């Protein structure tokens, strides 16, 4: 099922929880609703579910307007953050509960429950009760219960938030596997950008109730439409540095330094006219070099091991910069090194609007 928001809003008193939101999720896509706490992502999910009705704008399932449809009329399956399993019922009874409510006969309900349990790999747990299951197993029961009705839309409200880090990694992969095997359109709410990037086809990034960008994870990471998107996406976070136009040398450089940045003609002209701008460069797009044009001296002020990579925090010309590199015994705190930016990976933002200067980047939808 394809879903579409057209300028849909949800207000609670004077609070605009969702403000004129427009996006589309195609049939069979896995879309992540992402953003900081309070951005409106769960409210958006509840609008899809029918728990909240939009105060204005429209919501469509395929081409059918569903603004006034009740949740039970929407052909959805939903997995809540706390799973909402019945503790006194076995796994079998939890899974078949929505079928019993729909008056499906006992034998058919049992067959469908076993079929979906095999899909989510809990068919050996059918006689247990939720209290006898791990967090990951409970979540699979909740997914099975949501899917057993054969819905056309699956909604997941931060389903991994109660799991430990290792189990989160395992389970998010399982959710993606199940979604792809069933082929169901899925909307997944999370505040974890790494989680969203790892399993979704598209990310719908929100802030303060409004859409910030809607595109593929890779495009959002590499081509953010705004300073907010660039700063929110990525861990470790991007480096954000002020730029200025040097009138005497007629070049763009990092504010307060003599570090020139080679920008294309469009950037240069805009920065010259606007005087100030901001540069975003990811830690992995800064390289250690022996010597070379456009390199700059930097002092290592901290070293942190992140798995196979090493995160360096360096200071150059009074600015602190983070960069990722391979481990080396020669890297010591206080050492002076040379760094060079991969200028193909730079994004530059207008200081006044916060928007990306480069209008040629392949954005899907921005603000």
């Amino acid at each position: 099922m394809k879903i579409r928001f057209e300028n849909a809003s949800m207000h609670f008193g004077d609070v605009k929880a969702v403000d004129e939101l427009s996006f589309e999720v195609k049939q069979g896509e896995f879309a992540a609703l992402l953003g900081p706490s309070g951005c409106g992502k769960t409210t958006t999910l509840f609008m899809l579910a029918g728990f909240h009705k939009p105060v204005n704008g429209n919501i469509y399932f395929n081409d059918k307007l569903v603004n006034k449809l009740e949740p039970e009329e929407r052909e959805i399956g939903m997995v809540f953050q706390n799973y909402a399993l019945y503790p006194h019922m076995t796994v079998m009874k939890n899974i078949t509960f929505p079928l019993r409510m729909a008056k499906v006969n006992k034998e058919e309900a049992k067959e469908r429950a076993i079929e979906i349990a095999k899909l989510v790999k809990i068919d050996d747990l059918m006689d247990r009760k939720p209290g006898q299951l791990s967090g990951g197993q409970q979540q699979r029961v909740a997914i099975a219960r949501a899917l057993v009705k054969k819905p056309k839309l699956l909604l997941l409200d931060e389903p991994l938030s109660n799991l430990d880090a290792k189990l989160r990694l395992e389970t998010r992969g399982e959710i993606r596997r199940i979604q792809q095997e069933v082929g169901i359109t899925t909307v997944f709410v999370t505040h974890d950008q790494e989680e969203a990037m790892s399993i979704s086809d598209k990310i719908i990034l929100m802030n303060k109730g409004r859409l910030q960008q809607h595109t593929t994870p890779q495009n959002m990471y590499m081509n953010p439409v705004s300073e907010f998107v660039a700063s929110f996406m990525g861990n470790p976070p991007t480096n954000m540095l002020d730029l200025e136009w040097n009138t005497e040398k007629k070049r763009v450089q990092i504010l307060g330094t003599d570090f020139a940045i080679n920008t294309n003609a469009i950037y240069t002209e805009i920065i010259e006219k606007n005087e100030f701008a901001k540069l975003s460069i990811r830690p992995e797009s800064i390289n250690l070099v022996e010597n070379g044009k456009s390199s700059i001296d930097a002092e290592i002020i901290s070293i942190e091991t992140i798995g196979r990579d090493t995160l360096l925090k360096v200071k150059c010309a009074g600015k602190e910069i983070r960069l990722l590199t391979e481990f080396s015994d020669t890297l010591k705190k206080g050492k002076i090194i040379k760094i060079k930016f991969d200028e193909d990976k730079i994004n530059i933002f207008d200081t006044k609007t916060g928007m990306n200067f480069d209008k040629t980047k392949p954005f899907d939808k921005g603000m």
Side-chain angles (χ1 to χ4, degrees):
M1 180 162 62
K2 179 178 73 174
I3 61 175
R4 187 168 83 254
F5 270 55
E6 285 188 356
N7 300 313
S9 299
M10 186 68 216
H11 302 166
F12 300 103
D14 295 332
V15 177
K16 294 182 179 180
V18 175
D19 190 14
E20 297 187 357
L21 185 61
S22 295
F23 66 85
E24 182 178 293
V25 179
K26 296 176 183 177
Q27 164 64 36
E29 270 191 341
F30 193 115
L33 273 169
L34 176 67
S37 297
C39 73
K41 54 189 184 291
T42 296
T43 301
T44 300
L45 194 80
F46 283 8
M47 291 169 74
L48 279 170
F51 301 142
H52 298 321
K53 307 297 192 295
V55 296
N56 53 53
N58 295 313
I59 302 172
Y60 295 91
F61 287 2
N62 290 330
D63 294 319
K64 180 181 179 181
L65 183 66
V66 298
N67 286 23
K68 295 182 180 180
L69 284 187
E70 294 302 317
E72 61 270 19
E73 302 174 299
R74 296 194 178 205
E75 296 184 275
I76 63 168
M78 187 154 185
V79 178
F80 294 93
Q81 187 173 353
N82 62 0
Y83 313 141
L85 300 177
Y86 297 106
H88 62 290
M89 292 184 182
T90 63
V91 169
M92 172 65 85
K93 288 183 177 179
N94 265 284
I95 295 173
T96 57
F97 182 80
L99 298 180
R100 297 202 304 274
M101 294 297 99
K103 309 298 183 185
V104 175
N105 73 67
K106 190 174 181 180
E107 284 306 309
E108 183 184 347
K110 183 178 179 180
E111 287 178 12
R112 286 168 62 174
I114 291 172
E115 179 185 2
I116 204 69
K118 287 179 179 177
L119 174 70
V120 302
K121 299 180 180 179
I122 55 168
D123 50 305
D124 58 336
L125 305 174
M126 301 298 271
D127 295 327
R128 296 189 190 181
K129 292 183 179 179
Q132 298 171 298
L133 305 177
S134 67
Q137 290 169 335
Q138 288 183 39
Q139 190 211 55
R140 291 182 191 216
V141 176
I143 292 172
R145 185 179 61 184
L147 291 175
V148 76
K149 298 181 296 180
K150 298 182 178 178
K152 294 182 179 177
L153 175 64
L154 178 62
L155 305 176
L156 303 163
D157 185 18
E158 302 213 41
L160 306 180
S161 59
N162 294 326
L163 305 180
D164 62 48
K166 184 175 183 293
L167 196 53
R168 283 173 76 109
L169 284 172
E170 294 173 359
T171 309
R172 73 190 190 194
E174 277 297 289
I175 289 176
R176 181 59 163 159
R177 176 190 65 80
I178 294 164
Q179 184 267 338
Q180 288 182 322
E181 287 194 25
V182 177
I184 188 171
T185 307
T186 301
V187 179
F188 175 97
V189 165
T190 180
H191 63 274
D192 186 331
Q193 46 88 18
E194 182 182 332
E195 203 166 85
M197 290 185 68
S198 68
I199 60 175
S200 60
D201 298 309
K202 297 282 182 66
I203 294 176
I204 301 159
L205 181 60
M206 298 178 66
N207 189 38
K208 298 179 180 178
R210 296 186 66 85
L211 177 70
Q212 302 299 307
Q213 191 169 359
H214 176 202
T215 186
T216 62
Q218 183 69 9
N219 194 44
M220 189 174 291
Y221 184 78
M222 299 304 298
N223 301 311
V225 295
S226 68
E227 184 181 342
F228 170 81
V229 177
S231 298
F232 189 83
M233 300 300 292
N235 185 29
T238 192
N239 296 287
M240 200 70 70
L241 302 168
D242 291 313
L243 298 178
E244 65 178 347
W245 174 253
N246 186 316
T247 304
E248 181 182 343
K249 296 183 179 179
K250 298 191 181 303
R251 70 184 190 188
V252 177
Q253 60 190 35
I254 295 177
L255 181 66
T257 77
D258 199 36
F259 187 13
I261 299 295
N262 293 324
T263 59
N264 64 34
I266 297 173
Y267 284 166
T268 301
E269 183 181 351
I270 293 173
I271 296 170
E272 182 180 0
K273 289 179 180 177
N274 285 266
E275 295 183 2
F276 294 102
K278 283 194 174 181
L279 172 151
S280 168
I281 181 83
R282 300 283 179 191
E284 67 271 21
S285 299
I286 303 175
N287 303 309
L288 294 180
V289 294
E290 293 296 328
N291 278 297
K293 188 178 179 182
S294 301
S295 66
I296 185 173
D297 288 343
E299 179 188 357
I300 299 175
I301 56 177
S302 73
I303 303 173
E304 182 180 347
T305 301
I306 306 178
R308 65 180 183 182
D309 294 320
T310 297
L311 176 65
L312 300 182
K313 185 181 288 185
V314 302
K315 182 174 283 188
C316 52
K319 311 292 181 182
E320 287 191 2
I321 297 174
R322 290 176 293 270
L323 66 106
L324 282 171
T325 187
E326 295 180 354
F327 172 78
S328 171
D329 288 332
T330 64
L331 298 173
K332 305 291 183 184
K333 184 177 178 180
K335 181 178 180 178
I336 304 300
I337 58 175
K338 287 186 178 295
I339 62 173
K340 180 178 172 61
F341 291 2
D342 183 346
E343 291 172 346
D344 290 337
K345 305 290 178 61
I346 284 173
N347 283 281
I348 298 180
F349 305 100
D350 186 326
T351 305
K352 297 173 185 175
T353 66
M355 300 304 292
N356 198 314
F357 277 137
D358 191 345
K359 306 303 181 186
T360 67
K361 290 188 180 295
F363 304 141
D364 283 13
K365 291 183 180 179
M367 295 175 65

